[in-house]
Amino acid sequence: MPDTAALPLDPRAVLLDAVAADRDDAIRQCGRALLNVGAIEEPYIETMIERERSLSTYVGEEVAIPHGTVLGKDTVHHDAICVVRFPAGVDWDGNRVTVCVGIAAKGDGHVRLLSELAQILLAPDRARALRESADTAGVLRLLQPIGEDSEE
Amino acid sequence: MAERRVTVQAEVGLHARPAATFVQTAAKAGIDVTLAKVGGQPVNAKSILSVLALDVRQGENVVISAEGDGAEELVETLAAIASAP
């Protein structure tokens, strides 16, 4: 297994108690969280919706990982993720989603981010902690584990 | 035990659509099937999380293994998906 490096998560991009009307609304809220921390320009958000229409980013464990298409790469300023939780759940093409981890990345940076995120979600206790953590600090600890330095 | 070793050809590696197609095909099978990097620990080929976490890039070699009814056809089909450009 590759080492897990800290994921680029700004505390301001963690929203624990959001409500979405539907899947596209949830994706737009992720996009706005990435926009608010200066990671992207607004046009990236529509490429996140396009990406979802062409291929679902649902990965199980009530988690979806919306991200943009190659066409949106020019509108990414720096790699970043956001965590937006929807406690009431969002219908994601028949699956229930309560956590969205939105991803913005330049080049193929999202591949590394997705892989690291997948490693975290594969541990059921960590996936549950992501869904249930009571505060932002808990989410940050989960995604930016202290003392697990990457050798890269 | 049926086993195939292939080189991943897709530019995105075994991520995005190739990964989704691979996992969806594996998940339809009624038998266990695994994916591993050469010399690495095998993971459940039916789990998108496991396949994404394995982080297979273009040009890397992987081993697909299955055992039971239809194992030969299954690994053949999955090998074709994994090695498609």
Side-chain angles (χ1 to χ4, degrees):
Chain A
M1 280 288 169
D3 292 313
T4 304
L7 291 161
L9 176 61
D10 186 311
R12 293 170 301 159
V14 179
L15 303 169
L16 298 182
D17 199 13
V19 177
D22 54 26
R23 186 197 70 185
D24 286 2
D25 182 26
I27 295 169
R28 287 198 176 89
Q29 292 187 39
C30 289
R32 279 198 292 277
L34 293 168
L35 187 66
N36 287 341
V37 295
I40 59 164
E41 287 171 36
E42 195 149 9
Y44 184 78
I45 300 174
E46 282 311 307
T47 77
M48 295 172 80
I49 306 260
E50 280 164 31
R51 161 69 210 220
E52 200 69 43
R53 286 185 183 142
S54 110
L55 184 62
S56 175
T57 66
Y58 179 74
V59 292
E61 291 285 351
E62 299 189 4
V63 177
I65 49 174
H67 51 278
T69 64
V70 173
L71 293 175
K73 294 291 184 190
D74 291 346
T75 53
V76 174
H77 293 302
H78 59 80
D79 291 2
I81 66 170
C82 68
V83 175
V84 183
R85 292 203 314 208
F86 302 95
V90 179
D91 175 48
W92 211 274
D93 309 318
N95 295 300
R96 174 185 160 86
V97 164
T98 55
V99 183
C100 283
V101 182
I103 298 173
K106 297 180 88 70
D108 67 351
H110 70 287
V111 171
R112 178 185 72 86
L113 297 181
L114 285 176
S115 173
E116 286 172 7
L117 187 62
Q119 288 175 49
I120 289 169
L121 295 174
L122 273 173
D125 54 329
R126 297 175 85 182
R128 190 180 335 108
L130 185 61
R131 288 192 298 268
E132 297 175 1
S133 174
D135 53 27
T136 299
V139 172
L140 288 171
R141 270 198 305 279
L142 190 67
L143 297 179
Q144 303 176 315
I146 294 161
E148 287 186 22
D149 290 337
S150 168
E151 286 174 7
E152 284 187 349
Chain B
M1 173 94 103
E3 198 171 274
R4 288 289 182 287
R5 176 174 164 162
V6 294
T7 303
V8 172
Q9 304 283 2
E11 195 180 340
V12 293
L14 211 45
H15 287 277
R17 194 174 299 277
T21 307
F22 184 90
V23 168
Q24 282 161 12
T25 305
K28 283 188 203 134
I31 55 173
D32 288 345
V33 53
T34 63
L35 173 73
K37 289 188 182 181
V38 172
Q41 279 289 327
V43 303
N44 181 4
K46 302 183 182 195
S47 159
I48 186 74
L49 278 179
S50 297
V51 171
L52 291 178
L54 198 60
D55 198 9
V56 181
R57 305 295 179 98
Q58 183 181 36
E60 287 195 287
N61 295 312
V62 292
V63 179
I64 300 154
S65 311
E67 196 160 10
D69 275 354
E72 279 293 337
E73 296 94 309
L74 180 61
V75 295
E76 196 65 50
T77 304
L78 292 175
I81 294 168
S83 61

